[in-house]
Amino acid sequence: MSRELTRDERRLAALALIGLFWGALLLALGVAPWIAAVVVVAPLAAAAAALHGGVLAEPAARARGLAGEIRARAAEPGRRDALRLNRQAARLRREGRAEDAVDLSERALAIFRRCGDRRGEALTLNALGLAQARTGDEPGALDSFEAAVALRAELGDDHGAGRVLANVGALHRGQGHDQEARAAWHEALERLEPGTPEHDRTARQLERAG
């Protein structure tokens, strides 16, 4: 059975709804979205959620949802910049300008980390490893690949982790480390989806390696 709200609870409910209104208005106007999320909406959501077994659960959920939307919209320009940098880095890598590609990938990586975009971070770490390998920085490339594999695994993306491991195998193979290359390709095949081009290509590489 529901109970009557106390005066403090009614006051907080009103404040939460007012905060929801102002946060939505700021978002619509495009004015200071981070201020709307952090100063107006998020504190009210946290306070409302803490009240007496979720009496104000609905306003709190609405406020939290709005705060998340504001944060996502504020981060979107950064993600677009990072994706653009990744595309440029890939083009530079194909053109043989690996050092410039490393610089752009590192800039993209910093943006994804600030945005909290772990999938973008994993994608960029793999690209960074490819560019580092082209410059002859094998230890740096391995570090980037290993970090990408770990992130893909955390995200539940086994196929993506397998693709990075295939790159690890190619790097070891290029260094003449055949045993390490075969081990990386074996692990990659365990993660890659059978029948995909990546799985078939890795299987052929492993077969040629003996």
Side-chain angles (χ1 to χ4, degrees), residues 46-70:
L51 271 179
H52 302 286
V55 171
L56 301 180
E58 183 177 350
R62 291 167 63 191
R64 285 196 301 272
L66 179 59
E69 182 181 350
I70 292 171

Side-chain angles (χ1 to χ4, degrees), residues 14 19 21 25 28 38 52 95 102 109-110 115 117 141 146 152 155 170 178 188 192 210:
F21 168 78
L25 180 61
V38 176
H52 302 286
E95 293 174 354
V102 167
L109 182 61
C115 294
D117 188 335
E146 288 172 1
R152 290 289 190 184
L155 294 167
D178 292 345
L192 291 167

Side-chain angles (χ1 to χ4, degrees), residues 171-205:
L171 178 61
H172 281 307
R173 179 71 166 177
Q175 293 178 289
H177 303 156
D178 292 345
Q179 183 175 350
E180 289 85 351
R182 287 193 294 271
W185 284 330
H186 272 297
E187 187 177 355
L189 287 174
E190 292 176 358
R191 296 173 182 254
L192 291 167
E193 295 178 12
T196 61
E198 295 86 359
H199 186 281
D200 295 344
R201 182 170 56 249
T202 302
R204 289 194 298 269
Q205 288 174 314

Side-chain angles (χ1 to χ4, degrees), residues 45-101:
L51 271 179
H52 302 286
V55 171
L56 301 180
E58 183 177 350
R62 291 167 63 191
R64 285 196 301 272
L66 179 59
E69 182 181 350
I70 292 171
R71 287 193 295 270
R73 291 198 181 187
E76 190 57 35
R79 290 193 181 95
R80 287 198 297 268
D81 287 342
L83 290 171
R84 175 180 54 80
L85 289 170
N86 273 344
R87 289 194 296 269
Q88 293 175 346
R91 176 176 54 80
L92 291 173
R93 193 173 68 245
R94 290 193 298 268
E95 293 174 354
R97 299 169 58 186
E99 291 183 359
D100 292 333

Side-chain angles (χ1 to χ4, degrees), residues 111-132:
I111 294 172
F112 278 127
R113 283 174 172 167
R114 285 198 301 271
C115 294
D117 188 335
R118 295 175 70 77
R119 192 170 298 278
E121 183 180 347
L123 177 70
T124 306
L125 280 165
N126 182 57
L128 177 59
L130 292 171
Q132 289 169 319

